[in-house]
Structures are given as structure tokens and as C-alpha cells.
């Protein structure tokens, strides 16, 4: 009897082990990516088209078309939706607020030029600045709790920011700031230390005129089924495309050319099921930066950014090609990057993760494949969990980073490091895999601190086959 029970137990153990092995072998992250892409719902629109010229728009770059855009958006949405057409010509306007079931379509040869009058960015709206929610100037194109919306076409969106407007507020003389002029630093301190850290309600965090926090360019806030396609975006005040708390977002074929301060190309935040494809990013900051809130505000909201897919994009200038952070307090998971090219002496890193012990966050399941890198300045892969620590950025929220995979990555010039990764002794970075990676030239293969389970599979750096490292405290 005991022998029968022992055999039964052994059989159960072997069956369990076999099932786990099959389960492990069956998991394919790229199939998961395909399922995510297939699940994303694109907006659809009625065939009706309303031309803004029929509502009194004037294409001289001088006439204020703000009321025209407001009227045509409202009319189109109330009629059941359709397309609002911006024909050839230069149209000056204040912020445009998208409405349900409306596609704002820019005909080739059209340009929307945004106002340089601060009064036009009123009334203040619920928005966010560097991962902290507030009431501030309206984004240039804004949608709040809308469904089935789009900005499409071959026209130009011109934020008209520069060293004479918006950019000087960053406080750097290279962007037009002069000694004694206002800058954002006091406003940021007020927002973060006097409001977010003590949980002041968002509707009481009133900014706007008298403060110096720049608006984002395109911001769908708590929206569903969003498409941004084909347009060229230039001269942004701040972050360029910022889907926040949104689901089913597609960014397709856009061209972002804006080298201002904090001019990230696309920043999905607290968002799920986001596809960024066929785009060109030439930016003054990160090309793509995935966010999930900063410090107390991120933990208060508590929504992960997840299921983010980047395909067939070109990254030129920027602080990083695809970046996670630094505002990631609610966490990021399931990021897929494939078939992208990155190449510029002004592109600092290809793949980057950045946070610190005040921001915290769990970053997991990042998969990169078929990446071609001509040149980056600092590193192919950089993971910095001590980002921006100058005393005030230290806290008790040790970040967790795990399961980072790079496959079939070809690099001509990796800059200083193939991998530059620094974690915490009490919670090391874990499970980094490089498979079929070729880095032809780099100053050093890696610099590691508190990293466990670094796997090299058929990977060459500077002509040398790399060996797996199970644990690295410092190198």
C-alpha cells in the first residue's frame, strides 16, 4: 500500500513538472504582443465631413479660429460624429478640444498654428505635469473622457514654442531664459512639495498664469479608442503626445520634430493597450518615454502602464530611443519594441530604464527585438535606479526591475557601454537576457552593480563572445 501511494505521489510530481515545463516552453512573449495589437480597437467614424471654411475659418495665419474649431467640433459630435476637415492653408487658433466620434483631419498642405496668448489657454483643465496631476493651461489638442477620437492627415501641427515663448520657462539660457526672468522651479516645488506630497485634491491644485508650467501638445485624458496618424508635429511647448489614463491608443506614422526642453515624443502614462508604429522621432528629450506617475501622485492613482507596443519606428536625436521612466511610481509592465532603427550622435541611449528610491515602481517584462542601432552616445541598454538623486530624491520605495530581453540587436557604435546597469544591493536588477546581439564597437562591454542573472546567448561585443554572469555586485 505504501509503495502504491509513493508511486502515485511520484507520478503526480512528474506530471506537475512536465506541465510546468510545457507551460514554460509554450510562453512566447511575441505571441502575447500580437494578441495585444489585435485587441486594440481603432476608432471608426461616420462618412459625414464638415469643412472648417464653411464655419467661417480664415486661412491667413492671423485670424483667430478658436471659436470656429469649437463650433465645428460641437456640431459634428452632436450630429453623430464624422470628420472635421482642415483644408490647405495656415490656421491660427487657441487649444482645440476633441469631441466624441470626431476625426480632426488635416489635409496635406494645411498647418494649424497655436496661439502665443496665454489667455487663450483658459479655462484651466485637469491635466498633468511630469507625472503630477493639476489644473493648468489647456494642452494644445485636448480630450477629456472622450471615446472614438482621432487626429489624422498629412498636415502640420505647429505649437510655435521657441526661445521667445514657452521654452524659457524651463530656466535654461540655451532656451531663451535670462537671469531674473520667471521659470518653472518655484511652481514645481509648490505642486510637488506643497500639494502632491500632502494629498491636496487635484481640483485645488490651481496653476496657469502667474505660474510657469508648460502645457503638453496632444493629450487624450481618460479616453478610449484614440488614433493619432500621419501628422507632423513641430515646436512643442513640452511633452508632445501624452495619452494619460487612456485605453486603446494608436499612434501611427507621425513625424515629431521638436528640440525644445522636455520635448519627449510620446509619453503613454497610466495607459493600457498602446501601439506606436511607423513614426519618426527627432526630439529634444526622450523619443518615447513610458510613464506611470511621480512619487505620491503615482501611488495615489495606482494605474500601471501596460501592454505598450512600439513597431517600425525611427529614432534620431533624443536622450533615449525607448525609455521607461523616470515617473514610474505605479509601475510598468509588458513593453514590446521591434523592428526599429536608432541612429544619431545626439541619441544618448537606445533602451533606458530610469527611476529612484523616492519614485519606486516595478518595471517588468520588457522585450526588444530586431533593433538596428547605428550610433548612440552612452549605452545600448541603461538601467539607472538612482536617477536624479540629489538628496531629495531618496526614499523608501526601492524600485524593482526584472525580465528585460534584447534579441537580434545589431549595433555599429554603442558609445561608452553595451550595458550600464546599477541596482540596489537589497533588491538587485534581475533577469537580463541578450540573445543574438552584436555590438561591433563600444568602449566597455558592461558596467554592472547589483545585477543578478545576466544571460548572454550568442552575443558578441567588440568581437568577443560574452559569457553569462549569474551575479554581479560591481564591475
Amino acid at each position: 500500500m505504501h509503495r502504491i501511494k509513493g508511486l502515485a505521489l511520484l507520478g503526480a510530481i512528474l506530471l506537475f513538472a512536465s506541465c510546468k515545463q510545457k507551460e514554460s516552453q509554450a510562453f512566447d512573449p511575441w505571441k502575447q504582443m500580437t494578441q495585444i495589437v489585435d485587441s486594440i480597437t481603432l476608432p471608426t467614424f461616420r462618412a459625414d465631413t464638415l469643412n472648417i471654411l464653411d464655419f467661417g475659418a480664415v486661412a491667413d495665419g492671423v485670424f483667430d479660429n478658436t471659436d470656429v474649431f469649437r463650433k465645428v467640433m460641437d456640431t459634428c459630435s452632436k450630429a453623430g460624429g464624422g470628420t472635421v476637415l482642415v483644408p490647405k492653408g495656415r490656421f491660427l487658433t487657441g487649444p482645440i478640444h476633441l469631441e466624441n466620434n470626431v476625426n480632426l483631419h488635416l489635409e496635406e498642405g494645411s498647418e494649424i498654428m497655436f496661439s502665443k496668448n496665454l489667455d487663450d489657454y483658459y479655462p484651466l483643465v485637469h491635466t498633468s505635469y511630469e507625472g503630477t496631476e493639476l489644473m493648468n493651461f489647456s494642452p494644445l489638442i485636448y480630450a477629456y473622457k472622450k471615446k472614438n477620437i482621432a487626429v489624422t492627415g498629412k498636415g502640420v501641427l505647429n505649437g510655435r514654442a521657441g526661445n521667445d515663448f514657452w521654452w524659457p520657462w524651463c530656466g535654461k539660457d540655451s532656451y531663451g531664459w535670462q537671469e531674473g526672468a520667471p521659470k518653472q522651479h518655484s511652481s514645481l516645488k509648490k505642486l510637488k512639495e506643497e500639494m502632491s506630497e500632502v494629498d491636496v485634491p487635484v481640483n485645488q491644485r490651481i496653476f496657469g498664469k502667474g505660474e510657469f508650467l508648460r502645457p503638453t501638445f496632444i493629450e487624450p485624458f481618460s479616453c478610449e479608442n484614440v488614433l493619432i496618424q500621419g501628422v507632423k508635429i513641430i515646436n512643442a511647448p513640452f511633452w508632445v503626445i501624452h495619452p494619460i489614463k487612456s485605453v486603446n491608443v494608436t499612434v501611427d506614422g507621425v513625424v515629431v520634430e521638436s528640440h525644445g526642453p522636455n520635448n519627449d515624443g510620446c509619453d503613454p502614462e497610466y495607459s493600457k493597450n498602446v501601439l506606436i508604429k511607423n513614426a519618426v522621432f527627432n526630439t529634444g528629450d526622450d523619443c518615447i518615454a513610458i510613464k506611470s506617475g511621480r512619487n505620491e501622485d503615482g501611488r495615489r492613482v495606482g494605474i500601471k502602464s501596460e501592454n505598450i507596443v512600439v513597431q517600425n519606428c525611427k529614432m534620431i536625436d533624443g536622450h533615449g530611443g525607448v525609455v521607461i521612466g523616470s515617473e514610474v511610481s505605479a509601475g510598468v509592465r509588458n513593453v514590446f519594441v521591434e523592428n526599429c532603427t536608432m541612429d544619431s550622435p545626439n541619441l544618448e541611449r537606445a533602451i533606458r530604464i530610469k527611476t529612484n528610491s523616492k519614485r519606486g515602481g516595478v518595471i517588468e517584462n520588457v522585450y526588444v527585438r530586431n533593433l538596428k542601432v547605428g550610433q548612440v552616445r552612452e549605452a545600448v541598454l541603461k538601467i539607472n535606479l538612482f536617477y536624479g538623486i540629489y538628496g531629495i530624491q531618496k526614499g523608501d520605495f526601492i524600485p524593482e526591475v526584472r525580465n528585460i530581453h534584447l534579441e537580434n540587436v545589431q549595433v555599429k557604435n554603442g558609445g561608452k557601454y553595451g550595458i550600464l546597469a546599477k541596482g540596489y544591493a537589497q533588491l538587485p536588477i534581475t533577469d537580463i537576457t541578450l540573445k543574438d546581439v552584436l555590438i561591433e564597437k563600444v568602449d566597455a562591454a558592461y558596467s554592472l552593480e547589483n545585477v543578478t542573472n545576466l544571460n548572454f546567448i550568442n552575443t558578441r561585443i567588440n568581437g568577443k563572445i560574452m559569457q553569462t554572469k549569474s551575479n554581479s555586485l560591481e564591475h
Side-chain angles (χ1 to χ4, degrees), residues 326-454:
S326 61
E327 301 87 357
V328 286
S329 298
V332 173
R333 67 184 176 194
N334 304 339
V335 175
F336 303 86
V337 181
E338 68 170 358
N339 303 328
C340 293
T341 61
M342 304 179 183
D343 187 11
S344 171
N346 298 315
L347 182 62
E348 296 183 22
R349 306 103 183 162
I351 306 296
R352 183 187 190 190
I353 297 171
K354 53 179 178 175
T355 180
N356 57 48
S357 60
K358 191 165 187 178
R359 297 179 192 184
V362 178
I363 299 102
E364 59 184 348
N365 307 336
V366 178
Y367 301 95
V368 180
R369 71 175 178 181
N370 305 338
L371 185 68
K372 291 186 177 180
V373 179
Q375 179 180 0
V376 291
R377 186 184 300 171
E378 184 185 27
V380 177
L381 171 64
K382 182 175 182 179
I383 304 174
N384 181 10
L385 307 189
F386 298 82
Y387 175 78
I389 286 187
Y390 305 107
I392 61 171
Q393 294 297 331
K394 293 182 180 179
D396 299 323
F397 301 92
I398 306 301
E400 297 182 53
V401 175
R402 54 180 176 254
N403 201 22
I404 313 298
H405 289 251
L406 277 65
E407 180 177 354
N408 190 27
V409 174
Q410 299 179 21
V411 182
K412 293 290 186 182
N413 186 346
K416 296 178 181 179
Y417 302 100
I419 305 171
L420 178 57
K422 182 178 180 181
Y424 289 82
Q426 61 268 50
L427 197 58
I429 300 164
T430 186
D431 297 326
I432 300 174
T433 299
L434 273 65
K435 179 181 179 182
D436 298 329
V437 172
L438 174 63
I439 302 175
E440 295 183 16
K441 178 185 176 183
V442 69
D443 290 350
Y446 47 71
S447 175
L448 308 172
E449 188 171 343
N450 298 314
V451 176
T452 63
N453 199 20
L454 171 60

Side-chain angles (χ1 to χ4, degrees), residues 183-200:
K183 56 182 178 179
Q184 67 186 17
H185 297 68
S186 59
S187 299
L188 281 172
K189 182 177 180 180
K190 176 181 175 181
L191 174 62
K192 291 165 184 173
E193 296 181 18
E194 300 175 23
M195 294 182 170
S196 174
E197 289 185 9
V198 296
D199 202 22
V200 171

